[in-house]
Each structure stands twice: as C-alpha cells, then as structure tokens.
Amino acid sequence: MESEFEGFCSGSEILTKHAGRWRKVSFGVPVFDRLTGGGIGARGIFELAGDPGSGKTQIAMKLALTAQQAVPNSSVVYISTEHMFPSRRLLQMEAEYKRQNVSDDAVQGRNFADHILVEHVRCVPTLMACLFDRFPKLLEKTKISLLIIDSITSPFLEEKDYILRAETFRTIVQRLHQLQEQYNFATFVTNQVRSVIDSATLDDQRNVPALGLAWSTLVHTRLQLSRTLGSNDRRCTVVFGPSLIPNHGFYQINESGPVDAAEQHLYEYQS
C-alpha cells in the first residue's frame, strides 16, 4: 500500500493535522517516560532488550494497562512467544493499578484484563500467520492501541539461514509499518541479550541485544535493561532513538509492576 501525498505542512501544523501519528503511550513509570520523552509512539518498532529477570514482561504488562487509559475504548494485542501468559500476575497488577487510580472513574469502571487479547506463538510460520492474517482482520473491527510481542527473539533462535532470517525481519517490519499508518497503534517488542567477549582482551564481557545487526537496523528506538547485583534496583539505558539523548535511570519491580526506584526508596523510607 503506497502512501498518498498529502501536501506540505509546517512542523507545528502536522502535530494537529495528524495528531494520531504522534500520540504516545505512557509507561506509567516516571523514569521510563522521562527517558523516552513521554512513552512509546504510534510509529516504528520500540524495543526493550534486557537480562533475564530484569522485568521485560512486567513492563510490557504495565503498558498493556496504561495503553487502554491513553486511548479510550481500545484493546491491546499481546503475542507471547516464550512462556504462558502470566494471567495471575496481570490481575494482581490490575488491582494495584486501580488502587493507585482510585479517584479515576474511567479506570475503576474498566476490566482491563478483558481487553488484553493474547495469542501464543512458538515458531516463525505461526508468528507470520498471526501478524499477516489474524492481526489485520482484528484491526478492521477492533480499536487497538498497542501491539506487544514478548519476545521477538524466541521464534528465530533455531533459524540458521541468516539471509532468510534477515528477509523475514524486513517483511515483518514493513507490514507493521503499513498497518501503523492505517490504524495508529504503537508496537512494543522485547528482546533477549547475549554475552560477547572483546576479542582483543578476552575478558571484556558485555551483554548485547540478540538477533544481530539485521534486526537492529529495523528498530526505531531501543532501551536496554540490566540487573544490579546486591540491589533491588535495575538499570534502564537509552541505546538509541531518533529524538532521544543518551541517558539512563533506575527502577524496581514491586506488587504493581515496574516503579521508579527513587519513588520506591522514598516510600520505603517513609514506611
């Protein structure tokens, strides 16, 4: 589908003329919103890479709640590729979310879990069928504010034909861009990390997002999470983003999901 030329307009006019394109979904966590300039936009692929146990899935579930508040009467599509969807944890987070927004009638009157549409996929053909067939049909009849793929890594781990894999990446992202242009939804994916060792020193080990350069070149914005040994604090770092500056912040995971570490420390001190 080719985009029709809509005519030139000024930088300020485009914000009102095409407001849906620039809408952002807040994380509901101050540190993440500060790092990203307000959350996840409705264009491009937003990736969150991180260590096991860094809270990627819990951040995704928190977004599934906040997206419904950001876009009234919308639903969220959650494609899970690694494990069964943690429904019990979601219900706990939803209860905490409502407790924290007790004065908001829109939050209190909504059953958020009923509007998170979950699909489990385990391999590339199933993922492609979901994104190219079932998801577009759903978009035609349901207002979707956010697509989550948790994680993009798992279906591709056994793929050894790297040329074919790179072509599949491009096909998926191109299709998602087309659908975003039509329906103005945000796309959030999680990614695993792998350890690499500096070949010069053989001891400079670091974790980098999986799937290599072929995937990285297609990602619009990337944040990376890491755990801090001996502390409940976890670190979030801006890796790249067209409108973001290099920065980092700290967060924790509690009953409500991800929270700003500074706020959590203050809460613990006051308690």
Side-chain angles (χ1 to χ4, degrees), residues 77-145:
V77 171
Y78 196 116
I79 300 175
S80 180
T81 69
E82 293 187 13
H83 42 66
M84 294 300 293
F85 182 76
S87 300
R88 183 174 299 179
R89 177 61 172 137
L90 172 66
L91 293 175
Q92 181 186 30
M93 290 175 62
E94 180 182 8
E96 286 293 316
Y97 189 66
K98 288 187 172 184
R99 186 184 64 81
Q100 294 172 3
N101 295 274
V102 67
S103 61
D104 190 326
D105 293 338
V107 171
Q108 298 305 314
R110 186 171 182 82
N111 190 331
F112 289 86
D114 283 351
H115 297 276
I116 299 174
L117 311 175
V118 180
E119 180 78 62
H120 292 94
V121 304
R122 292 291 182 268
C123 61
V124 174
T126 308
L127 176 63
M128 297 287 280
C130 181
L131 293 177
F132 281 72
D133 182 26
R134 296 193 292 277
F135 183 51
K137 290 177 181 177
L138 178 65
L139 284 167
E140 291 177 359
K141 59 184 180 181
T142 306
K143 188 177 184 179
I144 301 298
S145 54

Side-chain angles (χ1 to χ4, degrees), residues 178-235:
Q178 291 172 344
L179 292 172
Q180 284 182 317
E181 190 68 24
Q182 267 185 286
Y183 298 103
N184 290 322
F185 61 88
T187 299
F188 175 85
V189 305
T190 65
N191 193 357
Q192 299 174 11
V193 295
R194 58 186 179 87
S195 295
V196 297
I197 298 176
D198 191 318
S199 59
T201 63
L202 298 181
D203 60 3
D204 185 15
Q205 180 174 312
R206 58 194 177 91
N207 291 336
V208 299
L211 301 181
L213 189 60
W215 169 253
S216 292
T217 57
L218 301 172
V219 173
H220 179 273
T221 301
R222 170 178 281 166
L223 304 184
Q224 186 162 344
L225 311 179
S226 57
R227 301 175 66 181
T228 305
L229 294 177
S231 171
N232 291 327
D233 287 355
R234 294 162 167 86
R235 178 182 172 121

Side-chain angles (χ1 to χ4, degrees), residues 31 34 228 233-236 248-252 259-262:
V31 62
R34 175 176 58 82
T228 305
D233 287 355
R234 294 162 167 86
R235 178 182 172 121
C236 177
H248 70 271
F250 296 91
Y251 66 100
Q252 290 188 5
V259 295
D260 194 299

Side-chain angles (χ1 to χ4, degrees), residues 27-39:
F27 283 88
V29 183
V31 62
F32 291 121
D33 285 347
R34 175 176 58 82
L35 292 174
T36 58

